[in-house]
Amino acid sequence: MATCTSATPVLSAVPTPAARATDPTVTSPAANPPEPTANPASFGWLPARGSDQLPSHITTSFEVMPPRNPQTAPKFWTTVKQLVDARPNFISVTYGAAGQDRRGARAVTEILARHVPTPPIAHLTCVGTSIEEITQIVTDYLDSGVRTFLALRGDPPLGKPGWTPADDALVRATDLIRLIREVD
C-alpha cells in the first residue's frame, strides 16, 4: 500500500546584509555554522575514495536519443561507447518528442541488445499507433533480444489539438503494458 505524506512549507526570514550591519542582535549564518550531524563516509553508499565503482544497490542509467541524420551517427556511437564504459545498469533509448523517430530508436535498441553488454530499455508509446502495429513492434523487439520496455501513452500528434485516439488504438500506458505481457 502506498502512503502519501504532505508537508507544509516552513518559511523563515533570512536577514539581509543591511539588517545584519544595523541590528546587533542579528548574527551572520557564517558566525554560527551548523554542527555536522554525520560524516558522509558513514552513509554507506559512497564509493571508496579513488574507486570508480558504485555500490551495488545504486542503479545508474543513461538515456540516449538516436541520431536523426547519418552524419551524426559516428559521434553518437562514440558517446554510447563512453556511456557503456561507465557500466550503467541499463541504457534507455527514447523515441524523441511525439514519437517522431521510432525507426531510429528501434534500430539503436536492437543494436544495443545484440552487441552491447548493457541491457537496453525500449521506449514504447501507444499514441497514434494501431494495436496491430504495436503488437508487431513488440514482437520485433522481443525477436531482437530486447526484454525491457518503458511503456508510455505518449504525446498527442503535434498540431492536432482536438485529437482523440482511433477506435483500434490503445488509450493508456496500462493498456500497452497488458499488450506487451500478452505478446511476450
Side-chain angles (χ1 to χ4, degrees), residues 18-35:
R20 282 196 287 274
T22 58
D23 186 348
T25 62
V26 175
T27 60
S28 166
N32 298 317
E35 292 291 322

Side-chain angles (χ1 to χ4, degrees), residues 39-47 55 57-58:
N39 179 342
S42 69
F43 295 161
W45 52 264
L46 296 174
H57 66 280
I58 294 179

Side-chain angles (χ1 to χ4, degrees), residues 59-105:
T59 300
T60 57
S61 67
F62 296 104
E63 179 172 313
V64 297
M65 182 181 297
R68 292 187 186 239
N69 63 59
Q71 294 82 7
T72 59
K75 183 176 180 180
F76 171 81
W77 288 109
T78 298
T79 301
V80 167
K81 181 180 182 331
Q82 293 169 337
L83 297 176
V84 169
D85 288 347
R87 298 189 306 264
N89 295 87
F90 61 89
I91 295 178
S92 173
V93 183
T94 186
Y95 273 173
Q100 294 175 5
D101 191 20
R102 287 184 178 176
R103 280 189 220 120

